[in-house]
Structure formats: structure tokens, C-alpha cells
Amino acid sequence: MLLAEGELTVRGRVREASNAVLYCTVSYEGREAACVYKPVAGERPLWDFPDGTLAQREVAAYEVSEATGWGLVPPTVLRDGPYGEGMCQLWIEGEAGSELLALVEGEEAGEGWKAVGFAEVGDGETALLVHADDRRLRRLAVLDAVVNNADRKGGHLLPAAEGRLYGIDHGVTFNVENKLRTLLWGWAGESLTEEAVRVLEGLRDALAEGGALAGRLVALITPAELDATRERVAALLRTGRHPQPSGDWPAIPWPPV
């Protein structure tokens, strides 16, 4: 109720974002919290996504995250606000001390890390980009494969209190074409965990005609996009492996952070 019905007050703007991202407080019956409000009116048109749909996709990603039981996306709703309809998401205060990405010398990731690829670091030099071999990141990699996340950057990873990890910025998701673009390629081609398989089986049932998740997504994405989501889940279960870059689309977002 707080996010969906509370009074939104704009406190500032996140200027680094390509679309309008407003830092707000939301108040309801004596309760108050910080949140992010992204009005549809402030969305920049994209060539490969229908105009005015990014907010709905953010909410759809939250719904899928909740259906997994992993809680990887902060609470997110679609609601009216000072600048019209938009996405409203609980503000997560990131915590330092949990290193998830790094650049290392040499060609090996090292213990506790997974290799992503080589990156230019200036003066013609390269370094190996790695991410932590972390169960939370591996869960997020599965979620990204399901929602077809085209923009999983390092800055979209928020370590939080009590060992939690959240992913944010899910506006470019659910495209019918394969657009998976992420820094979390370290498990590419590896077998899915038993936990991931169980979660995907649950998603398959929830996404079926008449399923609870399908009923929530039908108001947020198109029927073709919903069918494509079902097919991605089916493909993950069929192969039993994390996806690999397709070669038809840049595998890593730019800028990566």
C-alpha cells in the first residue's frame, strides 16, 4: 500500500540516467520510505522497444522475480505520480564491502571468480573482467535469462543489508528477440543448479494459461512477449544449462558499469 497508494514527493533527480529518474519519498498513514519514480513521460524512445513501455517492463521483471521466490528486484509498482503514470520502486541503500566485479591481470579468473572477457583499460592494455562466483549473482543470471535483460550492467547490482543482493533497471526486458546482454556470463554453458531447475519448473507452471504469474504479466507486456517468456523458460529447462551469447547481439552492455 505504501508504494502503490502513498503520496509521492519529488526530492531530486538522478542525472546520470538516460531517462527521467526521480528520487522521491512516499508517505502513507504515518509511514514513509524513499523510492525511485520513473514517469512514462520521461522515457527516451528506443528503436527496438515500443514507446512508453519501459515502466511496465520494470514492474513485470519484479513480478517474475517474486514468482521465483528469490526476491532479486526491489518492490516495484505501476502508479500515477506528479508527472503522470510511471514506475515506483523502493529505494535500496547499497552497502560497501561486497566486491562483485573486478579487473585482473593474466588470463585466469582465480579462485572465487568467473571470467567474463577481456576489456581495454587504456594505453592499449587489456585486463580480464571477472565477476564473483556468488550464488546470488547466479540466481540473477537465471532471472536475466528469463526476462531477456538487455542491460545488466555492474551499476545495476546493489549489495544490501543482511547479505541481500538486488538488481535494478529492468526497462529493456521481455523483447521477443534474443537480446540478453549482461556482465554475468561466467556460468555460460554450465549446468543449471538443482535449485534453478526447481524455480524454472515453478515459473513454467505460473506462466501457463490461467497461471497466476501469466495473469499479472498480461497487463504489462504483449501476448507475443508473454509467449516468448514461456519459450525462454522452456528452453532453459530443455537444455538444463545457462545460455551462451548468441553472436547476433552485443553480449556485454556498454558502458559495462
Side-chain angles (χ1 to χ4, degrees):
M1 291 295 289
L2 178 62
L3 277 181
E5 303 292 339
E7 181 180 357
L8 276 178
T9 303
V10 177
R11 303 295 185 185
R13 181 172 181 176
V14 180
R15 296 194 175 277
E16 296 82 6
S18 56
N19 298 302
V21 179
L22 304 176
Y23 176 75
C24 303
T25 54
V26 59
S27 304
Y28 184 81
E29 294 185 349
R31 299 171 59 206
E32 184 173 283
C35 63
V36 170
Y37 163 53
K38 298 182 182 180
V40 172
E43 293 179 5
R44 181 177 55 129
L46 298 173
W47 67 269
D48 52 348
F49 285 84
D51 292 351
T53 66
L54 305 190
Q56 291 94 322
R57 295 170 194 278
E58 295 240 30
V59 179
Y62 166 71
E63 293 289 356
V64 175
S65 169
E66 287 299 284
T68 66
W70 287 334
L72 294 168
V73 179
T76 311
V77 300
L78 191 68
R79 57 160 295 169
D80 195 27
Y83 299 101
E85 186 179 62
M87 176 276 269
C88 186
Q89 184 175 84
L90 187 68
W91 178 269
I92 299 298
E93 203 64 56
E95 289 201 346
S98 179
E99 191 175 14
L100 300 174
L101 298 167
L103 289 167
V104 300
E105 296 180 356
E107 298 184 358
E108 299 294 332
E111 187 176 356
W113 296 90
K114 304 291 285 186
V116 179
F118 289 95
E120 293 186 10
V121 293
D123 298 325
E125 299 293 326
T126 62
L128 184 63
L129 176 64
V130 299
H131 65 68
D133 189 4
D134 185 300
R135 183 180 68 170
R136 302 168 303 171
L137 286 182
R138 192 164 189 172
R139 289 172 170 177
L140 194 58
V142 174
L143 176 67
D144 283 343
V146 171
V147 304
N148 198 16
N149 192 351
D151 196 31
R152 175 60 71 207
K153 297 176 179 176
H156 299 167
L157 304 173
L158 295 180
E162 300 179 353
R164 295 291 300 272
L165 176 72
Y166 292 99
I168 60 171
D169 284 351
H170 296 99
V172 285
T173 49
F174 295 100
N175 201 297
V176 295
E177 298 179 9
N178 180 8
K179 291 185 178 289
L180 183 60
R181 192 166 59 166
T182 175
L183 290 180
L184 304 181
W185 286 117
W187 298 283
E190 292 188 16
S191 297
L192 295 166
T193 64
E194 291 182 5
E195 177 196 46
V197 171
R198 290 195 301 271
V199 165
L200 288 166
E201 289 172 343
L203 285 181
R204 178 189 58 198
D205 296 341
L207 286 166
E209 291 287 346
L213 180 57
R216 291 192 291 273
L217 293 184
V218 72
L220 300 167
I221 59 176
T222 69
E225 289 166 344
L226 180 54
D227 284 342
T229 304
R230 293 177 176 128
E231 176 51 36
R232 287 192 295 272
V233 171
L236 288 166
L237 286 170
R238 189 164 56 245
T239 65
R241 295 183 179 276
H242 287 268
Q244 300 186 71
S246 67
D248 299 327
W249 179 254
I252 296 176
W254 187 261
V257 295

